[in-house]
Amino acid sequence: MFAEHETFVFPEDRSKFLEDASNFDLVIPMIHGKGAEDGVVQQLCESLNIPFLFSPIEAHKIGIDKVLTKEFVVRAGIKTAKQFSRSSAVFPLFVKPRFGGSSVHTARIEDADALETFLENTSEEMMIEEAVHGR
């Protein structure tokens, strides 16, 4: 026997999801990026008392935030790339959005001028880290 299922695209189908929510036994979030991996859908499910698979909301909020994730990992004793401010940067380095998945909008920067140009042309909060060489 197969379970019945319904698929929604977020945030486009949010109203339909809310209309049908009382019929759901379980939500399986198969989502990516801001508004998805950050716990927003999970928080919605929790507010509607609908069980969902995968991690609790707090884990998503930490996981989507590279600064919080780095702090969490460092506290666990795991080595990470050194984080810089604009003024303490050592080149080459990598700049990446603080929030978001994958390596979208991540750039290798070779010098201070390139760093300033890159940062001036983005509206996102960015994280600056050393370039780590290895295999």
Side-chain angles (χ1 to χ4, degrees):
M1 180 174 171
F2 293 99
E4 291 183 35
H5 70 278
E6 199 167 343
T7 303
F8 299 89
V9 176
F10 267 83
E12 296 87 343
D13 295 339
R14 182 184 168 97
S15 343
K16 180 150 178 31
F17 178 87
L18 291 171
E19 286 172 22
D20 297 351
S22 63
N23 300 320
F24 303 149
D25 295 319
L26 176 73
V27 170
I28 304 173
M30 305 293 283
I31 46 185
H32 179 67
K34 194 170 183 178
E37 285 175 284
D38 56 6
V40 170
V41 171
Q42 293 83 350
Q43 193 164 14
L44 176 62
C45 290
E46 193 169 276
S47 73
L48 297 169
N49 294 315
I50 302 170
F52 57 90
L53 290 185
F54 309 125
S55 305
I57 296 165
E58 222 25 63
H60 288 276
K61 288 181 178 180
I62 292 169
I64 202 74
D65 182 332
K66 290 178 183 71
V67 172
L68 288 179
T69 298
K70 184 181 196 76
E71 290 170 3
F72 186 83
V73 168
V74 167
R75 279 196 309 269
I78 299 169
K79 292 181 181 181
T80 66
K82 184 176 178 183
Q83 190 172 336
F84 300 121
S85 66
R86 277 176 142 148
S87 59
S88 69
V90 175
F91 299 91
L93 54 78
F94 282 91
V95 181
K96 50 187 143 181
R98 177 177 178 171
F99 301 96
S102 307
S103 57
V104 176
H105 303 294
T106 296
R108 181 181 167 103
I109 306 290
E110 301 294 333
D111 58 55
D113 290 336
L115 177 60
E116 287 309 311
T117 300
F118 185 88
L119 294 174
E120 286 171 8
N121 290 304
T122 185
S123 59
E124 297 182 73
E125 187 176 343
M126 303 302 279
M127 179 177 186
I128 305 169
E129 289 185 314
E130 72 178 321
V132 176
H133 303 282
R135 54 184 181 139

